[in-house]
């Protein structure tokens, strides 16, 4: 896949998406450089919020952009000073349809908006509703498009614009580099680790991302097997990541693969009924010694069930893994799970593009009917009189 010629990728309708998955390690380095350049300005912006007392920080976006916050939330809630910041993740689609449940008039609020293009109607409406309903309303807009509506309306002392690397503005249908760059920048902003530690983490992430590219044949061997269902499982931050992983399969195969996602511990409480003989089960295995036990338990349990033989652990160290199949990284043994999320999602993105080609779809333009679009269409934003 990643070593095919440009001409062959063009013929397959996979050139854009393939290149955008492959370039992510480079983009992570650029994202780190952007953060280091803007760090003092960002800290000054956050300092004015700390002066307000306790501020609600709402991570928001639609679709993949919403899953940025879902993935980060579990980890970052324990890393910020909760005397100043209270973190939540609420999709723009929920904010716009139910603003009275999402915003509180008397609670100072920072809306952290994630957007690839910044042109989704809900992104703009969520901001306008915040200005309408919250007395002290602030914005941190993290977007990949300088010319997008979200970027263009970022003005004044109550807002801050952080632009991602230009090439993160994915031109393919599915968000790949935009997702990981927006997630990384937010992690760098709110994580308490020192700058030196963050730099070391990103370096390890880059090595692990390149490992995915170098070992594409192992992933292809999995995809070549007989299955038409995929389920992703994980714990903590990696449970949040499972939703994005399964969405990539749905998007790039145009629903020709049926997907599911859950936490490793929660899966057996009913959703496990999803597994049949045509199901591939992928588990994002935790680096935490305690949490990993639950990931290994569900791997071994599904293996013992004997219903499917495609049960794969994505893990840092195969020696601490289960008795079955593993896609293992040699780097990253000391990383928190949230930093593993980046190479892990590259694995899932690679699964998705390979699955798309397997069913005869074109990953760059996967929606044959045109009913699903790169930037959402057909949304009517209704006036809210609150």
């Amino acid at each position: 896949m990643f070593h095919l010629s440009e001409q062959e990728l063009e013929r397959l309708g996979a050139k854009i998406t393939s290149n955008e998955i492959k370039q992510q390690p480079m983009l992570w380095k650029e994202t780190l450089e952007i953060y280091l350049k803007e760090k003092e300005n960002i800290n000054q912006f956050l300092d004015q919020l700390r002066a307000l007392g306790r501020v609600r920080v709402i991570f928001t976006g639609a679709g993949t952009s919403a899953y940025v916050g879902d993935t980060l939330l579990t980890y970052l809630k324990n890393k910020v000073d909760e005397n100043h910041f209270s973190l939540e993740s609420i999709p723009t689609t929920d904010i716009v349809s139910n603003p009275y449940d999402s915003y509180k008039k008397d609670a100072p609020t920072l809306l952290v908006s994630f957007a690839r293009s910044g042109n989704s109607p809900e992104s703009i409406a969520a901001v306008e509703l915040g200005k309408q309903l919250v007395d002290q309303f602030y914005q941190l807009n993290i977007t990949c498009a300088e010319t997008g509506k979200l970027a263009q309306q970022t003005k004044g002392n109550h807002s801050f614009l952080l632009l991602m690397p230009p090439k993160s503005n994915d031109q393919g249908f599915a968000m790949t580099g935009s997702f990981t760059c927006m997630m990384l920048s937010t992690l760098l902003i709110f994580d308490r680790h020192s700058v030196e530690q963050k730099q070391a983490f990103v370096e390890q992430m880059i090595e692990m991302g390149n490992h995915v590219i170098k070992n594409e044949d192992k992933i292809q061997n999995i995809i070549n097997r007989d299955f038409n269902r995929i389920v992703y499982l994980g714990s903590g931050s990696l449970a949040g990541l499972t939703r994005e992983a399964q969405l990539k399969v749905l998007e790039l195969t145009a629903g020709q693969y049926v997907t599911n996602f859950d936490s490793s511990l929660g899966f057996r409480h009913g959703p496990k009924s999803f597994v049949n003989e045509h199901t591939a089960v992928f588990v994002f295995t935790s680096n935490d010694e305690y949490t990993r036990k639950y990931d290994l338990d569900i791997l071994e349990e599904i293996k013992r069930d004997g219903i499917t033989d495609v049960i794969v652990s994505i893990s840092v160290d195969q020696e601490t893994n289960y008795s079955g199949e593993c896609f293992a990284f040699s780097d990253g043994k000391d990383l928190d799970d949230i930093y593993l999320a980046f190479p892990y999602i590259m694995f899932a993105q690679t699964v998705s593009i390979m699955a798309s080609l397997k069913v005869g779809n074109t990953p760059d333009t996967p929606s044959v009917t045109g009913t699903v679009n790169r930037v959402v269409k057909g949304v009517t934003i209704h006036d809210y009189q609150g």
Side-chain angles (χ1 to χ4, degrees):
M1 165 56 61
F2 300 118
H3 297 96
L4 294 177
S5 68
E6 295 285 292
Q7 292 79 8
E8 181 64 11
L9 289 170
E10 188 83 52
R11 184 187 68 80
L12 294 169
K15 177 181 175 181
I16 296 172
T17 306
S18 176
N19 289 337
E20 288 177 344
I21 294 172
K22 184 178 180 180
Q23 71 183 359
Q24 285 175 102
M26 175 194 71
L27 294 180
W28 300 342
K29 182 179 179 181
E30 292 181 16
T31 300
L32 173 63
E33 291 169 352
I34 290 170
Y35 164 72
L36 293 174
K37 181 180 177 181
E38 294 288 345
K39 181 170 68 73
E40 294 305 319
N41 293 328
I42 294 169
N43 288 339
Q44 288 176 16
F45 177 72
L46 294 179
D47 283 343
Q48 69 172 312
L49 295 174
R50 293 186 181 96
L52 300 176
R54 199 159 191 254
V55 176
R56 290 183 75 199
V57 178
I58 301 175
F59 295 142
T60 196
T64 289
S65 295
Y67 306 154
V68 173
D70 290 348
T71 305
L72 290 170
L73 186 65
T74 301
Y75 176 81
L76 286 180
K77 279 178 71 72
N78 293 316
K79 299 301 177 184
V80 300
D81 183 351
E82 292 192 304
N83 292 318
H84 293 292
F85 297 123
S86 173
L87 270 54
E88 305 170 54
S89 180
I90 309 175
T92 55
T93 46
D94 287 355
I95 292 175
V96 172
S97 60
N98 298 79
Y100 40 82
D101 289 334
S102 302
Y103 287 136
K104 299 177 182 178
K105 176 180 175 61
D106 299 326
T109 300
L110 171 66
L111 188 70
V112 182
S113 295
F114 303 114
R116 171 171 61 175
S117 70
N119 290 324
S120 296
E122 299 97 331
S123 294
I124 305 304
V127 170
E128 294 306 316
L129 285 164
K131 292 177 179 178
Q132 178 183 344
L133 298 175
V134 181
D135 289 341
Q136 294 176 289
F137 183 74
Y138 294 78
Q139 302 172 66
L140 172 55
N141 294 332
I142 300 178
T143 180
C144 306
E146 186 174 10
T147 59
K149 293 178 181 178
L150 188 67
Q152 291 297 305
Q153 64 87 55
T154 309
K155 299 175 182 177
N157 294 331
H158 283 212
S159 62
F160 191 97
L161 173 64
L162 187 63
L163 290 170
M164 297 296 93
K167 288 187 177 180
S168 71
N169 186 10
D170 304 307
Q171 299 305 299
F173 178 89
M175 292 174 63
T176 53
S178 53
F179 173 78
T180 56
C181 287
M182 291 190 293
M183 187 162 69
L184 177 57
S185 63
T186 310
L187 185 56
L188 295 171
I189 290 169
F190 288 100
D191 197 349
R192 282 185 176 179
H193 285 295
S194 69
V195 171
E196 292 74 20
Q197 287 174 311
K198 292 174 184 177
Q199 290 175 304
F201 295 160
V202 173
E203 288 174 5
Q204 290 183 69
M205 283 165 41
I206 290 171
E207 289 299 317
M208 295 175 74
N210 287 328
H211 177 87
V212 174
I213 304 302
K214 294 173 184 176
N215 290 274
E216 62 170 299
D217 57 323
K218 295 180 181 179
I219 305 174
Q220 187 66 64
N221 288 338
I222 298 171
I223 298 303
N224 290 342
R225 291 152 75 177
D226 182 22
F227 60 88
N228 55 25
R229 293 182 168 207
I230 292 179
V231 58
Y232 282 98
L233 305 175
S235 303
S237 297
L238 300 176
L241 190 69
T242 61
R243 192 167 187 178
E244 169 61 10
Q246 64 85 36
L247 177 62
K248 288 287 91 72
V249 180
L250 275 180
E251 288 180 326
L252 295 185
T253 67
Q256 294 185 65
Y257 272 68
V258 183
T259 63
N260 202 348
F261 65 95
D262 209 325
S263 68
S264 296
L265 193 54
F267 189 58
R268 59 172 60 87
H269 291 268
K272 189 180 165 194
S273 304
F274 180 83
V275 178
N276 64 16
E277 67 273 20
H278 300 298
T279 306
V281 179
F282 297 107
V283 178
F284 294 140
T285 304
S286 173
N287 249 1
D288 181 85
E289 183 178 357
Y290 177 79
T291 302
R292 183 168 57 244
K293 294 176 182 178
Y294 292 102
D295 298 329
L296 300 183
D297 284 349
I298 195 64
L299 281 160
E300 295 291 0
E301 179 177 319
I302 296 172
K303 184 183 175 188
R304 287 195 304 271
D305 291 339
I307 297 173
T308 178
D309 62 355
V310 187
I311 310 157
V312 183
S313 170
I314 299 92
S315 174
V316 165
D317 187 352
Q318 193 163 2
E319 292 181 1
T320 59
N321 223 299
Y322 91 120
S323 59
E325 191 171 356
C326 178
F327 183 88
F329 294 90
S330 56
D331 295 290
K333 292 182 175 63
D334 300 322
L335 289 180
D336 288 321
D337 286 350
I338 190 62
Y339 290 94
L340 295 183
F342 297 87
Y344 279 11
I345 201 62
M346 273 191 68
F347 172 91
Q349 292 164 352
T350 305
V351 165
S352 300
I353 191 172
M354 289 178 174
S356 179
L357 293 173
K358 182 179 178 180
V359 298
N361 212 9
T362 52
D364 293 344
T365 53
S367 182
V368 178
T369 63
T371 54
V372 185
N373 302 280
R374 179 178 176 273
V375 179
V376 70
K377 298 179 181 179
V379 178
T380 299
I381 302 297
H382 301 282
D383 289 338
Y384 179 70
Q385 304 296 328

